[in-house]
Amino acid sequence: MQGITEDDIATYLANTPGFFERHAELLASIQLANPHGGRAVSLQERQMDMLRERIKGLERRIIEMIRAGHDNEALVNKMHRWTRAVMLARSASVLPQVLIEELKHEFMIPQAALRVWGVAPAHAGLPWAQAVSDDLKTFSASLSVPFCGLNSGFEAAHWLSADGTPAQSIALVPLRLGAAAGECFGLLALGSPDALRFQSDMGTEFLQQVGDLASAALARLLSD
């Protein structure tokens, strides 16, 4: 046996399926340590334990998949209701308010506001068309994906504190004409007093979809 390793034995047994058929008495007499206690168990018992653990793991995965399916269905329904409300807005002048209020309601977002620049003269005096700095326009145009993270004094954060409650975390979603590389004409700001609500490592796919739909709706406010 000198020079033979456990790996050699394991390889031999794996490649010789008839071994235990020829040595059935050995299979029946093998005793293994029970991982859940000190007593030894037979190989068959140990295999059953392993099978039970595998079944439990599969059950947990199935439960997680079902839960994820329910969560995704709920998200789709919320997105549908929000999109429908935006499409049913009575006029262009109330569209931004409807967009913001329904977004907060459907997705339980504590704070939300937006600014649009380059609007038609008929809308220039409305709150969401107030002037913003060139720095903010440049910053918004530089966002290839929505920004999420702590509020470090962003200009847009001031739009969210109308009720006197500062936003601790913030999401900034650029509004663009056409494709992702299209001209930026506005910024949607979402905020929360909870510093963990919008985190820098969170996925932004949902926010990108919100930005695409908001951009398509608000583009009608721009000058020709």
Side-chain angles (χ1 to χ4, degrees), residues 76-140:
V76 168
N77 289 336
K78 291 178 180 180
M79 184 71 84
H80 171 77
R81 290 193 297 268
W82 175 66
T83 304
R84 184 176 184 273
V86 170
M87 294 179 68
L88 290 174
R90 297 188 307 275
S91 66
S93 60
V94 300
L95 172 59
Q97 187 65 24
V98 171
L99 186 151
I100 289 296
E101 292 303 322
E102 291 298 323
L103 189 65
K104 292 169 63 178
H105 171 70
E106 291 292 347
F107 300 102
M108 303 296 291
I109 299 174
Q111 301 165 311
L114 64 84
R115 293 291 185 273
V116 179
W117 43 89
V119 300
H123 309 305
L126 295 174
W128 45 264
Q130 294 178 28
V132 299
S133 70
D134 290 337
D135 286 343
L136 183 133
K137 293 180 181 179
T138 300
F139 169 75
S140 302

CSV table of all heavy atoms in Angstrom, one decimal, residues 76-140:
chain,number,residue,atom,x,y,z
A,76,VAL,N,-43.7,44.7,-11.7
A,76,VAL,CA,-44.3,44.9,-13.0
A,76,VAL,C,-45.6,45.6,-12.9
A,76,VAL,O,-45.9,46.5,-13.6
A,76,VAL,CB,-44.4,43.6,-13.8
A,76,VAL,CG1,-45.3,43.7,-15.0
A,76,VAL,CG2,-43.0,43.0,-14.1
A,77,ASN,N,-46.4,45.2,-11.9
A,77,ASN,CA,-47.8,45.8,-11.7
A,77,ASN,C,-47.6,47.2,-11.3
A,77,ASN,O,-48.4,48.1,-11.7
A,77,ASN,CB,-48.6,45.0,-10.7
A,77,ASN,CG,-49.0,43.6,-11.2
A,77,ASN,OD1,-49.1,43.4,-12.4
A,77,ASN,ND2,-49.2,42.7,-10.3
A,78,LYS,N,-46.7,47.5,-10.4
A,78,LYS,CA,-46.5,48.9,-10.0
A,78,LYS,C,-46.0,49.8,-11.2
A,78,LYS,O,-46.5,50.9,-11.4
A,78,LYS,CB,-45.4,49.0,-8.9
A,78,LYS,CG,-45.9,48.4,-7.6
A,78,LYS,CD,-44.8,48.4,-6.5
A,78,LYS,CE,-45.2,47.8,-5.2
A,78,LYS,NZ,-44.2,47.8,-4.2
A,79,MET,N,-45.1,49.2,-12.0
A,79,MET,CA,-44.6,50.0,-13.1
A,79,MET,C,-45.8,50.2,-14.1
A,79,MET,O,-45.9,51.3,-14.7
A,79,MET,CB,-43.5,49.2,-13.8
A,79,MET,CG,-42.9,49.9,-15.0
A,79,MET,SD,-41.9,51.4,-14.5
A,79,MET,CE,-40.3,50.6,-14.1
A,80,HIS,N,-46.6,49.2,-14.3
A,80,HIS,CA,-47.8,49.4,-15.2
A,80,HIS,C,-48.7,50.5,-14.7
A,80,HIS,O,-49.1,51.3,-15.5
A,80,HIS,CB,-48.5,48.1,-15.3
A,80,HIS,CG,-49.8,48.1,-16.0
A,80,HIS,ND1,-49.9,48.2,-17.4
A,80,HIS,CD2,-51.1,48.2,-15.6
A,80,HIS,CE1,-51.2,48.3,-17.7
A,80,HIS,NE2,-51.9,48.3,-16.7
A,81,ARG,N,-49.0,50.5,-13.4
A,81,ARG,CA,-49.9,51.5,-12.9
A,81,ARG,C,-49.3,52.9,-13.0
A,81,ARG,O,-50.0,53.9,-13.3
A,81,ARG,CB,-50.3,51.2,-11.4
A,81,ARG,CG,-51.2,50.0,-11.3
A,81,ARG,CD,-51.7,49.9,-9.8
A,81,ARG,NE,-50.7,49.7,-8.8
A,81,ARG,CZ,-50.3,48.5,-8.4
A,81,ARG,NH1,-50.8,47.4,-8.9
A,81,ARG,NH2,-49.4,48.5,-7.4
A,82,TRP,N,-48.0,53.0,-12.7
A,82,TRP,CA,-47.4,54.3,-12.8
A,82,TRP,C,-47.4,54.8,-14.3
A,82,TRP,O,-47.7,56.0,-14.5
A,82,TRP,CB,-45.9,54.2,-12.3
A,82,TRP,CG,-45.1,55.5,-12.5
A,82,TRP,CD1,-45.4,56.7,-11.8
A,82,TRP,CD2,-44.0,55.7,-13.3
A,82,TRP,NE1,-44.4,57.6,-12.3
A,82,TRP,CE2,-43.6,57.0,-13.2
A,82,TRP,CE3,-43.3,54.8,-14.2
A,82,TRP,CZ2,-42.5,57.5,-13.9
A,82,TRP,CZ3,-42.3,55.3,-14.9
A,82,TRP,CH2,-41.9,56.7,-14.7
A,83,THR,N,-47.0,53.9,-15.2
A,83,THR,CA,-47.0,54.3,-16.6
A,83,THR,C,-48.4,54.7,-17.1
A,83,THR,O,-48.5,55.7,-17.8
A,83,THR,CB,-46.4,53.2,-17.5
A,83,THR,OG1,-45.2,52.8,-17.0
A,83,THR,CG2,-46.3,53.6,-18.9
A,84,ARG,N,-49.4,54.0,-16.7
A,84,ARG,CA,-50.7,54.3,-17.1
A,84,ARG,C,-51.2,55.7,-16.6
A,84,ARG,O,-51.8,56.5,-17.3
A,84,ARG,CB,-51.7,53.3,-16.6
A,84,ARG,CG,-53.2,53.4,-17.0
A,84,ARG,CD,-54.0,52.3,-16.5
A,84,ARG,NE,-55.4,52.4,-17.0
A,84,ARG,CZ,-56.3,53.1,-16.4
A,84,ARG,NH1,-56.1,53.8,-15.3
A,84,ARG,NH2,-57.5,53.2,-17.0
A,85,ALA,N,-50.8,56.0,-15.3
A,85,ALA,CA,-51.2,57.3,-14.7
A,85,ALA,C,-50.5,58.4,-15.5
A,85,ALA,O,-51.1,59.5,-15.7
A,85,ALA,CB,-50.8,57.3,-13.2
A,86,VAL,N,-49.2,58.2,-15.8
A,86,VAL,CA,-48.5,59.3,-16.6
A,86,VAL,C,-49.1,59.5,-17.9
A,86,VAL,O,-49.3,60.6,-18.4
A,86,VAL,CB,-47.0,58.8,-16.7
A,86,VAL,CG1,-46.3,59.8,-17.7
A,86,VAL,CG2,-46.3,58.9,-15.4
A,87,MET,N,-49.5,58.4,-18.6
A,87,MET,CA,-50.1,58.5,-19.9
A,87,MET,C,-51.5,59.2,-19.9
A,87,MET,O,-51.9,59.8,-20.9
A,87,MET,CB,-50.2,57.1,-20.6
A,87,MET,CG,-48.9,56.5,-20.9
A,87,MET,SD,-49.1,54.8,-21.6
A,87,MET,CE,-49.8,55.3,-23.2
A,88,LEU,N,-52.2,59.1,-18.7
A,88,LEU,CA,-53.5,59.7,-18.6
A,88,LEU,C,-53.5,61.1,-18.1
A,88,LEU,O,-54.5,61.7,-17.8
A,88,LEU,CB,-54.4,58.8,-17.7
A,88,LEU,CG,-54.8,57.4,-18.2
A,88,LEU,CD1,-55.5,56.6,-17.1
A,88,LEU,CD2,-55.7,57.6,-19.5
A,89,ALA,N,-52.3,61.6,-17.9
A,89,ALA,CA,-52.2,63.0,-17.4
A,89,ALA,C,-53.0,64.0,-18.3
A,89,ALA,O,-52.9,63.9,-19.5
A,89,ALA,CB,-50.7,63.5,-17.3
A,90,ARG,N,-53.8,64.8,-17.7
A,90,ARG,CA,-54.7,65.6,-18.5
A,90,ARG,C,-54.1,66.6,-19.4
A,90,ARG,O,-54.5,66.9,-20.5
A,90,ARG,CB,-55.7,66.4,-17.6
A,90,ARG,CG,-56.5,65.5,-16.7
A,90,ARG,CD,-57.6,66.3,-15.9
A,90,ARG,NE,-57.0,67.4,-15.2
A,90,ARG,CZ,-56.5,67.2,-13.9
A,90,ARG,NH1,-56.5,66.0,-13.4
A,90,ARG,NH2,-56.0,68.2,-13.3
A,91,SER,N,-52.9,67.2,-19.0
A,91,SER,CA,-52.3,68.2,-19.8
A,91,SER,C,-50.8,68.1,-19.6
A,91,SER,O,-50.3,67.6,-18.5
A,91,SER,CB,-52.8,69.6,-19.5
A,91,SER,OG,-52.5,70.0,-18.2
A,92,ALA,N,-50.0,68.8,-20.4
A,92,ALA,CA,-48.6,68.8,-20.3
A,92,ALA,C,-48.2,69.5,-19.0
A,92,ALA,O,-47.2,69.2,-18.4
A,92,ALA,CB,-47.9,69.5,-21.5
A,93,SER,N,-48.9,70.5,-18.6
A,93,SER,CA,-48.6,71.3,-17.4
A,93,SER,C,-48.6,70.5,-16.1
A,93,SER,O,-47.9,70.8,-15.2
A,93,SER,CB,-49.4,72.5,-17.3
A,93,SER,OG,-50.8,72.2,-17.2
A,94,VAL,N,-49.5,69.5,-16.1
A,94,VAL,CA,-49.7,68.7,-14.8
A,94,VAL,C,-48.9,67.4,-14.9
A,94,VAL,O,-48.8,66.7,-13.9
A,94,VAL,CB,-51.1,68.4,-14.5
A,94,VAL,CG1,-51.9,69.7,-14.3
A,94,VAL,CG2,-51.8,67.5,-15.6
A,95,LEU,N,-48.3,67.1,-16.1
A,95,LEU,CA,-47.6,65.9,-16.3
A,95,LEU,C,-46.5,65.6,-15.3
A,95,LEU,O,-46.4,64.6,-14.7
A,95,LEU,CB,-47.1,65.8,-17.7
A,95,LEU,CG,-46.2,64.6,-18.1
A,95,LEU,CD1,-46.9,63.3,-17.8
A,95,LEU,CD2,-45.7,64.7,-19.5
A,96,PRO,N,-45.6,66.6,-15.1
A,96,PRO,CA,-44.5,66.4,-14.1
A,96,PRO,C,-45.0,66.1,-12.7
A,96,PRO,O,-44.5,65.2,-12.0
A,96,PRO,CB,-43.7,67.7,-14.1
A,96,PRO,CG,-44.0,68.2,-15.5
A,96,PRO,CD,-45.4,67.9,-15.8
A,97,GLN,N,-46.1,66.8,-12.3
A,97,GLN,CA,-46.6,66.5,-10.9
A,97,GLN,C,-47.2,65.1,-10.8
A,97,GLN,O,-47.0,64.5,-9.8
A,97,GLN,CB,-47.7,67.6,-10.6
A,97,GLN,CG,-48.2,67.6,-9.2
A,97,GLN,CD,-47.1,67.9,-8.2
A,97,GLN,OE1,-46.1,68.6,-8.5
A,97,GLN,NE2,-47.2,67.5,-6.9
A,98,VAL,N,-47.9,64.7,-11.8
A,98,VAL,CA,-48.5,63.4,-11.8
A,98,VAL,C,-47.4,62.3,-11.8
A,98,VAL,O,-47.5,61.4,-11.1
A,98,VAL,CB,-49.4,63.2,-13.1
A,98,VAL,CG1,-49.8,61.7,-13.2
A,98,VAL,CG2,-50.6,64.1,-13.0
A,99,LEU,N,-46.4,62.5,-12.6
A,99,LEU,CA,-45.3,61.6,-12.7
A,99,LEU,C,-44.6,61.4,-11.3
A,99,LEU,O,-44.3,60.3,-10.9
A,99,LEU,CB,-44.3,62.1,-13.7
A,99,LEU,CG,-43.1,61.2,-14.1
A,99,LEU,CD1,-42.7,61.5,-15.6
A,99,LEU,CD2,-41.9,61.4,-13.2
A,100,ILE,N,-44.4,62.6,-10.7
A,100,ILE,CA,-43.7,62.5,-9.4
A,100,ILE,C,-44.6,61.9,-8.3
A,100,ILE,O,-44.1,61.0,-7.5
A,100,ILE,CB,-43.3,63.9,-8.9
A,100,ILE,CG1,-42.1,64.4,-9.8
A,100,ILE,CG2,-42.9,64.0,-7.5
A,100,ILE,CD1,-40.9,63.6,-9.7
A,101,GLU,N,-45.8,62.3,-8.2
A,101,GLU,CA,-46.7,61.9,-7.1
A,101,GLU,C,-47.0,60.4,-7.2
A,101,GLU,O,-47.0,59.7,-6.3
A,101,GLU,CB,-48.0,62.7,-7.1
A,101,GLU,CG,-47.8,64.1,-6.7
A,101,GLU,CD,-47.1,64.3,-5.3
A,101,GLU,OE1,-47.5,63.5,-4.4
A,101,GLU,OE2,-46.3,65.2,-5.1
A,102,GLU,N,-47.2,59.9,-8.5
A,102,GLU,CA,-47.5,58.5,-8.7
A,102,GLU,C,-46.3,57.7,-8.5
A,102,GLU,O,-46.4,56.5,-8.0
A,102,GLU,CB,-48.1,58.3,-10.1
A,102,GLU,CG,-49.5,58.9,-10.3
A,102,GLU,CD,-50.5,58.2,-9.4
A,102,GLU,OE1,-50.4,57.0,-9.1
A,102,GLU,OE2,-51.4,59.0,-8.9
A,103,LEU,N,-45.1,58.2,-8.8
A,103,LEU,CA,-43.9,57.5,-8.6
A,103,LEU,C,-43.7,57.3,-7.1
A,103,LEU,O,-43.3,56.2,-6.6
A,103,LEU,CB,-42.7,58.2,-9.2
A,103,LEU,CG,-41.4,57.5,-9.2
A,103,LEU,CD1,-41.4,56.3,-10.1
A,103,LEU,CD2,-40.3,58.5,-9.7
A,104,LYS,N,-43.9,58.3,-6.3
A,104,LYS,CA,-43.7,58.2,-4.8
A,104,LYS,C,-44.7,57.2,-4.2
A,104,LYS,O,-44.4,56.5,-3.4
A,104,LYS,CB,-43.9,59.6,-4.2
A,104,LYS,CG,-42.8,60.6,-4.5
A,104,LYS,CD,-43.1,62.0,-4.1
A,104,LYS,CE,-43.3,62.1,-2.6
A,104,LYS,NZ,-43.5,63.6,-2.3
A,105,HIS,N,-46.0,57.3,-4.7
A,105,HIS,CA,-47.0,56.4,-4.2
A,105,HIS,C,-46.8,55.0,-4.5
A,105,HIS,O,-46.8,54.1,-3.6
A,105,HIS,CB,-48.4,56.9,-4.8
A,105,HIS,CG,-49.5,55.9,-4.5
A,105,HIS,ND1,-50.0,55.8,-3.2
A,105,HIS,CD2,-50.2,55.1,-5.3
A,105,HIS,CE1,-51.0,54.9,-3.2
A,105,HIS,NE2,-51.1,54.4,-4.5
A,106,GLU,N,-46.5,54.6,-5.8
A,106,GLU,CA,-46.4,53.2,-6.2
A,106,GLU,C,-45.1,52.6,-5.6
A,106,GLU,O,-45.2,51.4,-5.2
A,106,GLU,CB,-46.4,53.1,-7.7
A,106,GLU,CG,-47.7,53.5,-8.4
A,106,GLU,CD,-48.8,52.5,-8.1
A,106,GLU,OE1,-48.5,51.4,-7.5
A,106,GLU,OE2,-49.9,52.7,-8.4
A,107,PHE,N,-44.0,53.3,-5.5
A,107,PHE,CA,-42.8,52.7,-5.1
A,107,PHE,C,-42.3,53.1,-3.7
A,107,PHE,O,-41.2,52.8,-3.3
A,107,PHE,CB,-41.7,53.0,-6.1
A,107,PHE,CG,-42.1,52.5,-7.5
A,107,PHE,CD1,-42.5,53.3,-8.5
A,107,PHE,CD2,-41.9,51.1,-7.8
A,107,PHE,CE1,-42.9,52.8,-9.7
A,107,PHE,CE2,-42.3,50.6,-9.0
A,107,PHE,CZ,-42.7,51.5,-10.0
A,108,MET,N,-43.2,53.8,-3.0
A,108,MET,CA,-42.9,54.1,-1.6
A,108,MET,C,-41.6,54.9,-1.5
A,108,MET,O,-40.7,54.6,-0.6
A,108,MET,CB,-42.9,52.9,-0.7
A,108,MET,CG,-44.1,52.0,-0.7
A,108,MET,SD,-45.6,52.9,0.0
A,108,MET,CE,-45.1,53.0,1.7
A,109,ILE,N,-41.5,55.9,-2.3
A,109,ILE,CA,-40.3,56.8,-2.3
A,109,ILE,C,-40.6,58.0,-1.5
A,109,ILE,O,-41.5,58.8,-1.9
A,109,ILE,CB,-39.9,57.1,-3.7
A,109,ILE,CG1,-39.5,55.9,-4.5
A,109,ILE,CG2,-38.7,58.1,-3.7
A,109,ILE,CD1,-39.3,56.1,-6.0
A,110,PRO,N,-39.9,58.3,-0.4
A,110,PRO,CA,-40.2,59.4,0.4
A,110,PRO,C,-40.2,60.8,-0.3
A,110,PRO,O,-41.0,61.7,0.0
A,110,PRO,CB,-39.2,59.3,1.6
A,110,PRO,CG,-38.8,57.9,1.6
A,110,PRO,CD,-38.8,57.5,0.1
A,111,GLN,N,-39.1,61.0,-1.1
A,111,GLN,CA,-38.9,62.3,-1.7
A,111,GLN,C,-38.6,62.2,-3.2
A,111,GLN,O,-37.9,61.3,-3.6
A,111,GLN,CB,-37.7,63.0,-1.0
A,111,GLN,CG,-37.9,63.2,0.5
A,111,GLN,CD,-36.6,63.5,1.2
A,111,GLN,OE1,-35.6,62.9,1.0
A,111,GLN,NE2,-36.6,64.6,2.0
A,112,ALA,N,-39.2,63.0,-4.0
A,112,ALA,CA,-38.9,63.0,-5.4
A,112,ALA,C,-39.2,64.4,-6.0
A,112,ALA,O,-40.0,65.1,-5.6
A,112,ALA,CB,-39.8,62.0,-6.1
A,113,ALA,N,-38.3,64.7,-7.0
A,113,ALA,CA,-38.5,66.0,-7.7
A,113,ALA,C,-37.8,65.9,-9.0
A,113,ALA,O,-37.0,65.0,-9.2
A,113,ALA,CB,-37.9,67.2,-6.8
A,114,LEU,N,-38.0,66.9,-9.9
A,114,LEU,CA,-37.3,66.9,-11.2
A,114,LEU,C,-37.2,68.3,-11.7
A,114,LEU,O,-37.9,69.2,-11.2
A,114,LEU,CB,-38.0,66.0,-12.2
A,114,LEU,CG,-39.5,66.3,-12.7
A,114,LEU,CD1,-39.4,67.4,-13.8
A,114,LEU,CD2,-40.2,65.1,-13.2
A,115,ARG,N,-36.3,68.5,-12.6
A,115,ARG,CA,-36.1,69.7,-13.3
A,115,ARG,C,-35.9,69.4,-14.8
A,115,ARG,O,-35.2,68.4,-15.1
A,115,ARG,CB,-34.9,70.5,-12.8
A,115,ARG,CG,-35.0,71.0,-11.4
A,115,ARG,CD,-36.0,72.2,-11.3
A,115,ARG,NE,-36.1,72.7,-10.0
A,115,ARG,CZ,-36.8,72.3,-9.0
A,115,ARG,NH1,-37.6,71.2,-9.1
A,115,ARG,NH2,-36.8,72.9,-7.8
A,116,VAL,N,-36.5,70.2,-15.6
A,116,VAL,CA,-36.4,70.0,-17.1
A,116,VAL,C,-36.0,71.4,-17.6
A,116,VAL,O,-36.5,72.4,-17.3
A,116,VAL,CB,-37.8,69.6,-17.7
A,116,VAL,CG1,-37.6,69.5,-19.2
A,116,VAL,CG2,-38.2,68.3,-17.1
A,117,TRP,N,-35.0,71.4,-18.5
A,117,TRP,CA,-34.5,72.6,-19.1
A,117,TRP,C,-34.8,72.6,-20.6
A,117,TRP,O,-34.9,71.5,-21.2
A,117,TRP,CB,-33.1,72.9,-18.8
A,117,TRP,CG,-32.1,71.7,-18.9
A,117,TRP,CD1,-31.4,71.3,-20.0
A,117,TRP,CD2,-31.8,70.9,-17.8
A,117,TRP,NE1,-30.7,70.2,-19.7
A,117,TRP,CE2,-30.8,69.9,-18.3
A,117,TRP,CE3,-32.1,70.8,-16.5
A,117,TRP,CZ2,-30.3,68.9,-17.6
A,117,TRP,CZ3,-31.5,69.8,-15.7
A,117,TRP,CH2,-30.6,68.9,-16.2
A,118,GLY,N,-34.8,73.8,-21.2
A,118,GLY,CA,-35.1,73.8,-22.7
A,118,GLY,C,-36.6,73.6,-22.9
A,118,GLY,O,-37.0,73.2,-24.0
A,119,VAL,N,-37.5,74.0,-22.0
A,119,VAL,CA,-38.9,73.8,-22.1
A,119,VAL,C,-39.5,74.8,-23.0
A,119,VAL,O,-39.0,75.9,-23.3
A,119,VAL,CB,-39.6,73.7,-20.8
A,119,VAL,CG1,-39.1,72.7,-19.9
A,119,VAL,CG2,-39.5,75.1,-20.1
A,120,ALA,N,-40.7,74.5,-23.5
A,120,ALA,CA,-41.5,75.5,-24.4
A,120,ALA,C,-41.9,76.7,-23.5
A,120,ALA,O,-42.0,76.6,-22.3
A,120,ALA,CB,-42.7,74.8,-24.9
A,121,PRO,N,-42.0,77.9,-24.1
A,121,PRO,CA,-42.3,79.1,-23.3
A,121,PRO,C,-43.5,79.0,-22.5
A,121,PRO,O,-43.6,79.6,-21.4
A,121,PRO,CB,-42.5,80.1,-24.4
A,121,PRO,CG,-41.6,79.6,-25.6
A,121,PRO,CD,-41.7,78.2,-25.5
A,122,ALA,N,-44.5,78.2,-22.9
A,122,ALA,CA,-45.8,78.0,-22.2
A,122,ALA,C,-45.5,77.4,-20.8
A,122,ALA,O,-46.4,77.6,-19.9
A,122,ALA,CB,-46.8,77.2,-23.0
A,123,HIS,N,-44.4,76.7,-20.6
A,123,HIS,CA,-44.2,76.0,-19.4
A,123,HIS,C,-43.1,76.6,-18.6
A,123,HIS,O,-42.7,76.1,-17.5
A,123,HIS,CB,-43.8,74.5,-19.7
A,123,HIS,CG,-44.8,73.8,-20.6
A,123,HIS,ND1,-46.1,73.7,-20.3
A,123,HIS,CD2,-44.6,73.2,-21.7
A,123,HIS,CE1,-46.7,73.1,-21.3
A,123,HIS,NE2,-45.8,72.7,-22.1
A,124,ALA,N,-42.5,77.7,-19.1
A,124,ALA,CA,-41.3,78.2,-18.5
A,124,ALA,C,-41.4,78.7,-17.0
A,124,ALA,O,-40.5,78.7,-16.3
A,124,ALA,CB,-40.7,79.3,-19.3
A,125,GLY,N,-42.6,79.1,-16.6
A,125,GLY,CA,-42.8,79.6,-15.3
A,125,GLY,C,-43.2,78.6,-14.3
A,125,GLY,O,-43.4,78.9,-13.1
A,126,LEU,N,-43.3,77.3,-14.7
A,126,LEU,CA,-43.7,76.3,-13.7
A,126,LEU,C,-42.6,75.8,-12.8
A,126,LEU,O,-41.4,75.9,-13.2
A,126,LEU,CB,-44.3,75.1,-14.5
A,126,LEU,CG,-45.6,75.4,-15.3
A,126,LEU,CD1,-46.0,74.3,-16.1
A,126,LEU,CD2,-46.7,75.8,-14.3
A,127,PRO,N,-42.9,75.3,-11.6
A,127,PRO,CA,-41.8,75.0,-10.7
A,127,PRO,C,-40.7,74.0,-11.2
A,127,PRO,O,-39.5,74.2,-10.9
A,127,PRO,CB,-42.6,74.4,-9.5
A,127,PRO,CG,-43.9,75.0,-9.6
A,127,PRO,CD,-44.2,75.1,-11.0
A,128,TRP,N,-41.1,73.0,-11.9
A,128,TRP,CA,-40.2,72.0,-12.4
A,128,TRP,C,-39.3,72.5,-13.6
A,128,TRP,O,-38.4,71.9,-14.0
A,128,TRP,CB,-40.9,70.8,-12.8
A,128,TRP,CG,-42.1,71.0,-13.7
A,128,TRP,CD1,-43.4,71.1,-13.2
A,128,TRP,CD2,-42.2,71.3,-15.1
A,128,TRP,NE1,-44.3,71.4,-14.2
A,128,TRP,CE2,-43.6,71.5,-15.4
A,128,TRP,CE3,-41.2,71.3,-16.1
A,128,TRP,CZ2,-44.0,71.8,-16.7
A,128,TRP,CZ3,-41.7,71.6,-17.4
A,128,TRP,CH2,-43.0,71.8,-17.7
A,129,ALA,N,-39.6,73.8,-14.0
A,129,ALA,CA,-38.8,74.4,-15.1
A,129,ALA,C,-37.9,75.5,-14.6
A,129,ALA,O,-37.3,76.2,-15.4
A,129,ALA,CB,-39.8,74.9,-16.2
A,130,GLN,N,-37.7,75.6,-13.3
A,130,GLN,CA,-36.8,76.6,-12.7
A,130,GLN,C,-35.4,76.3,-13.2
A,130,GLN,O,-35.0,75.2,-13.5
A,130,GLN,CB,-36.9,76.5,-11.2
A,130,GLN,CG,-38.2,76.9,-10.6
A,130,GLN,CD,-38.2,76.8,-9.1
A,130,GLN,OE1,-37.2,76.9,-8.4
A,130,GLN,NE2,-39.4,76.5,-8.5
A,131,ALA,N,-34.7,77.5,-13.3
A,131,ALA,CA,-33.3,77.4,-13.8
A,131,ALA,C,-32.4,76.5,-12.9
A,131,ALA,O,-32.6,76.5,-11.7
A,131,ALA,CB,-32.8,78.8,-13.9
A,132,VAL,N,-31.5,75.9,-13.5
A,132,VAL,CA,-30.5,75.1,-12.8
A,132,VAL,C,-29.1,75.5,-13.3
A,132,VAL,O,-29.0,76.2,-14.3
A,132,VAL,CB,-30.6,73.6,-13.0
A,132,VAL,CG1,-32.0,73.1,-12.5
A,132,VAL,CG2,-30.5,73.2,-14.5
A,133,SER,N,-28.1,75.2,-12.5
A,133,SER,CA,-26.7,75.7,-12.8
A,133,SER,C,-26.2,74.9,-14.0
A,133,SER,O,-26.6,73.8,-14.3
A,133,SER,CB,-25.8,75.5,-11.6
A,133,SER,OG,-25.6,74.1,-11.4
A,134,ASP,N,-25.2,75.5,-14.7
A,134,ASP,CA,-24.5,74.8,-15.8
A,134,ASP,C,-23.8,73.6,-15.3
A,134,ASP,O,-23.7,72.6,-16.0
A,134,ASP,CB,-23.5,75.8,-16.5
A,134,ASP,CG,-24.2,76.9,-17.3
A,134,ASP,OD1,-25.4,76.7,-17.6
A,134,ASP,OD2,-23.6,77.9,-17.5
A,135,ASP,N,-23.3,73.7,-14.0
A,135,ASP,CA,-22.6,72.5,-13.4
A,135,ASP,C,-23.5,71.3,-13.3
A,135,ASP,O,-23.1,70.2,-13.6
A,135,ASP,CB,-22.0,72.9,-12.1
A,135,ASP,CG,-20.8,73.8,-12.2
A,135,ASP,OD1,-20.2,73.9,-13.2
A,135,ASP,OD2,-20.5,74.4,-11.1
A,136,LEU,N,-24.8,71.6,-12.9
A,136,LEU,CA,-25.7,70.5,-12.8
A,136,LEU,C,-26.0,69.9,-14.2
A,136,LEU,O,-26.2,68.7,-14.3
A,136,LEU,CB,-27.0,70.9,-12.1
A,136,LEU,CG,-28.0,69.8,-11.8
A,136,LEU,CD1,-28.5,69.8,-10.4
A,136,LEU,CD2,-29.2,69.9,-12.9
A,137,LYS,N,-26.2,70.7,-15.2
A,137,LYS,CA,-26.5,70.2,-16.5
A,137,LYS,C,-25.3,69.4,-17.0
A,137,LYS,O,-25.5,68.3,-17.6
A,137,LYS,CB,-26.7,71.4,-17.5
A,137,LYS,CG,-28.0,72.2,-17.2
A,137,LYS,CD,-28.1,73.3,-18.2
A,137,LYS,CE,-29.4,74.1,-17.9
A,137,LYS,NZ,-29.5,75.3,-18.9
A,138,THR,N,-24.1,69.8,-16.7
A,138,THR,CA,-22.9,69.0,-17.2
A,138,THR,C,-22.9,67.7,-16.4
A,138,THR,O,-22.6,66.7,-17.0
A,138,THR,CB,-21.6,69.8,-16.9
A,138,THR,OG1,-21.7,71.1,-17.6
A,138,THR,CG2,-20.4,69.1,-17.3
A,139,PHE,N,-23.1,67.8,-15.1
A,139,PHE,CA,-23.1,66.5,-14.3
A,139,PHE,C,-24.2,65.6,-14.8
A,139,PHE,O,-23.9,64.4,-15.0
A,139,PHE,CB,-23.3,66.9,-12.8
A,139,PHE,CG,-23.6,65.7,-12.0
A,139,PHE,CD1,-22.6,64.8,-11.6
A,139,PHE,CD2,-24.9,65.4,-11.5
A,139,PHE,CE1,-22.8,63.7,-10.8
A,139,PHE,CE2,-25.1,64.3,-10.7
A,139,PHE,CZ,-24.1,63.4,-10.4
A,140,SER,N,-25.4,66.1,-15.1
A,140,SER,CA,-26.5,65.2,-15.5
A,140,SER,C,-26.1,64.5,-16.9
A,140,SER,O,-26.4,63.3,-17.1
A,140,SER,CB,-27.7,66.0,-15.7
A,140,SER,OG,-28.1,66.6,-14.4
